[in-house]
């Protein structure tokens, strides 16, 4: 949603993205994956829960490379796009994501919604099992 479909990850105009984001969260049921920190306040106003995926940087890097090179057909992929390993994304995962981790942890403590922090692939798997969810190859079903 934050990138234009049928492109090589060209970023959408920020105002267009905000309008799409805000329209999406008006729905009765939704899940938004990703940071989009500047839009978090209006998302939290409508959310019924919050999940913080706080996995180590090495896990994020591994999953990024795997989805670019191995998992071609995946839930949440950019429509008409092609995942490829990009140095900008690697720098983002190593630098920006790591730097934001402490900020997200502080923010998590202040959120009054039902919430869960998942800090490892094993914790994520346990969460799936505990909530009757399965990974179906294209995403999560339940």
């Amino acid at each position: 949603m934050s990138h234009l479909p049928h492109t090589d990850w060209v970023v959408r105009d920020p105002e267009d993205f905000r309008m799409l984001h805000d329209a999406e969260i008006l729905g009765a049921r939704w899940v938004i994956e990703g940071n989009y920190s500047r839009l978090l306040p209006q998302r939290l106003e409508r959310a019924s829960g919050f999940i913080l995926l706080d996995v180590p940087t090495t896990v994020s890097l591994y999953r990024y490379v795997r989805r670019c090179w191995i998992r071609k057909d995946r839930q949440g992929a950019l429509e008409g796009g092609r995942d490829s390993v990009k140095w900008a994304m690697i720098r983002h995962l190593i630098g920006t994501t790591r730097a934001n981790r402490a900020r997200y942890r502080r923010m998590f403590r202040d959120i009054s919604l039902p919430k869960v922090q998942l800090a490892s692939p094993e914790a994520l798997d346990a969460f799936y099992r505990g909530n009757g969810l399965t990974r179906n190859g294209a995403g999560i079903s339940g």
Side-chain angles (χ1 to χ4, degrees):
M1 186 153 91
S2 66
H3 295 83
L4 293 170
H6 305 284
T7 68
D8 190 20
W9 295 93
V10 173
V11 176
R12 189 182 296 275
D13 174 78
E15 184 58 22
D16 290 345
F17 176 64
R18 185 197 60 76
M19 290 185 335
L20 288 168
H21 171 275
D22 291 352
E24 190 67 29
I25 64 173
L26 291 177
R29 296 176 58 143
W30 46 269
V31 173
I32 295 181
E33 180 265 340
N35 299 322
Y36 315 121
S37 299
R38 66 185 172 82
L39 302 174
L40 191 59
Q42 61 261 49
R43 200 173 326 142
L44 290 174
E45 286 177 18
R46 297 199 40 84
S48 59
F50 187 87
I51 299 171
L52 176 62
L53 298 178
D54 190 23
V55 297
T57 300
T58 53
V59 172
S60 296
L61 285 167
Y62 169 75
R63 288 181 172 173
Y64 170 63
V65 170
R66 183 181 69 183
R67 96 174 152 251
C68 290
W69 289 345
I70 299 170
R71 304 251 349 247
K72 300 294 183 189
D73 244 359
R74 65 177 181 85
Q75 183 81 18
L78 179 63
E79 180 184 343
R82 184 176 66 82
D83 287 331
S84 61
V85 175
K86 295 176 175 39
W87 283 113
M89 184 62 171
I90 291 172
R91 281 191 302 274
H92 174 79
L93 290 170
I94 291 172
T96 306
T97 301
R98 181 179 285 169
N100 285 338
R101 194 164 276 134
R103 182 170 57 93
Y104 291 135
R105 286 179 187 146
R106 284 190 306 274
M107 177 192 66
F108 181 81
R109 285 192 297 265
D110 295 336
I111 291 174
S112 60
L113 293 167
K115 59 190 174 183
V116 63
Q117 182 176 2
L118 305 172
S120 70
E122 296 79 19
L124 183 56
D125 288 340
F127 180 80
Y128 284 16
R129 284 189 306 276
N131 289 281
L133 302 172
T134 59
R135 295 180 200 215
N136 63 13
I140 302 170
S141 63

